[in-house]
Amino acid sequence: MAILIDNKTRIREKAKELFIRFGMRSVSMDDIANAIGISKKTLYLHYADKETLVADTIEMLLETNNAHCQASREKAENAIHESFLATETVSELMKKTNPVLLFDMQKYYPAAYRKFLKFKQDFLYNFIRSSIEWGIKDGLYREDINVTLVSSLRIESISLPFQQDFFARVNTDLASLQEEIFILFLYGIATPKGIRLINKYKEKRAKNKI
């Protein structure tokens, strides 16, 4: 049983790596089997079809993101620090991510896309909302903002770089684009006290000390 579990983990890890790098549609089950060094028969022993593998891989990615967000909250000194910590892993992931990833998932793998939407609309929305409320309570974010609206705007901004027509118009990479959107969002809701902290954590991030 341990061997079966290990093989399934290896399959998902390699599939994740290939999907992130090349997108989902262009990676075949043959590609995944060859990259792991197993037979296609062994691959199908664990996953009956590519759609199931894509959905399972996305679920694993979302669980990892959930755990990282929770760890960021436990470690954070304040709401702004939490935001920087929570986006750290995302920024690293974006450096390796093909911008067609979300488009492929939405168009060709609806089961996986539904998992992504549920995660975004449930866990991620609530995580961001509670972070904004924490920042308001501590005087780091403005009291006059519409928390529901701002939380929803932040959620939707995460998907913006993956919109192909938008990405094609900007001369930058996904990681830089996500970083710019993140910083603009924080400055847009911060008080003078919050802005000082944003600048502090930006400087620390530049020195890899966040």
Side-chain angles (χ1 to χ4, degrees):
M1 180 62 70
I3 294 175
L4 288 175
I5 294 173
D6 183 62
N7 277 339
K8 193 166 187 177
T9 301
R10 288 171 60 214
I11 290 167
R12 285 192 304 175
E13 287 291 342
K14 183 53 68 174
K16 177 187 74 172
E17 177 187 324
L18 294 174
F19 292 156
I20 287 171
R21 184 177 178 186
F22 300 110
M24 294 170 174
R25 191 184 183 199
S26 65
V27 177
S28 68
M29 295 292 267
D30 280 327
D31 293 330
I32 296 167
N34 291 335
I36 301 171
I38 61 175
S39 68
K40 196 171 178 180
K41 181 179 179 181
T42 300
L43 177 57
Y44 279 110
L45 179 64
H46 297 283
Y47 290 101
D49 51 51
K50 186 179 172 184
E51 287 75 13
T52 305
L53 174 54
V54 168
D56 205 11
T57 303
I58 289 301
E59 186 169 355
M60 179 186 65
L61 273 168
L62 297 177
E63 287 173 354
T64 300
N65 189 271
N66 183 313
H68 178 70
C69 287
Q70 300 291 3
S72 298
R73 176 149 294 173
E74 292 174 6
K75 182 180 177 182
E77 303 165 350
N78 52 66
I80 292 175
H81 187 216
E82 177 184 70
S83 294
F84 273 88
L85 290 172
T87 59
E88 194 69 20
T89 297
V90 174
S91 295
E92 288 302 311
L93 182 63
M94 287 298 172
K95 293 176 183 178
K96 309 170 188 175
T97 302
N98 192 310
V100 304
L101 181 68
L102 192 59
F103 174 81
D104 279 0
M105 181 165 54
Q106 182 177 3
K107 187 168 184 179
Y108 302 107
Y109 303 100
Y113 189 63
R114 284 193 296 270
K115 288 177 182 288
F116 168 74
L117 286 181
K118 180 173 175 55
F119 175 81
K120 187 174 79 166
Q121 294 164 358
D122 293 346
F123 171 78
L124 205 52
Y125 171 82
N126 288 319
F127 180 83
I128 289 172
R129 184 185 178 106
S130 62
S131 184
I132 292 173
E133 290 172 340
W134 181 16
I136 292 173
K137 180 175 178 290
D138 288 351
L140 303 179
Y141 298 146
R142 302 191 335 259
E143 292 183 351
D144 62 336
I145 62 175
N146 182 325
V147 175
T148 299
L149 177 60
V150 169
S151 301
S152 296
L153 286 171
R154 177 56 184 146
I155 284 292
E156 294 309 314
S157 73
I158 293 170
S159 302
L160 182 60
F162 292 97
Q163 295 183 15
Q164 292 185 314
D165 58 339
F166 176 78
F167 185 76
R169 294 196 303 269
V170 295
N171 185 28
T172 187
D173 57 90
L174 276 180
S176 299
L177 185 52
Q178 283 281 12
E179 175 74 10
E180 192 66 28
I181 291 171
F182 165 65
I183 293 298
L184 285 172
F185 170 78
L186 286 186
Y187 277 134
I189 64 173
T191 62
K193 178 182 176 181
I195 289 172
R196 288 192 292 272
L197 278 179
I198 294 169
N199 293 335
K200 169 188 170 181
Y201 292 121
K202 279 180 65 181
E203 184 177 342
K204 283 191 171 185
R205 173 176 280 182
K207 295 178 181 178
N208 295 317
K209 293 181 179 180
I210 196 73

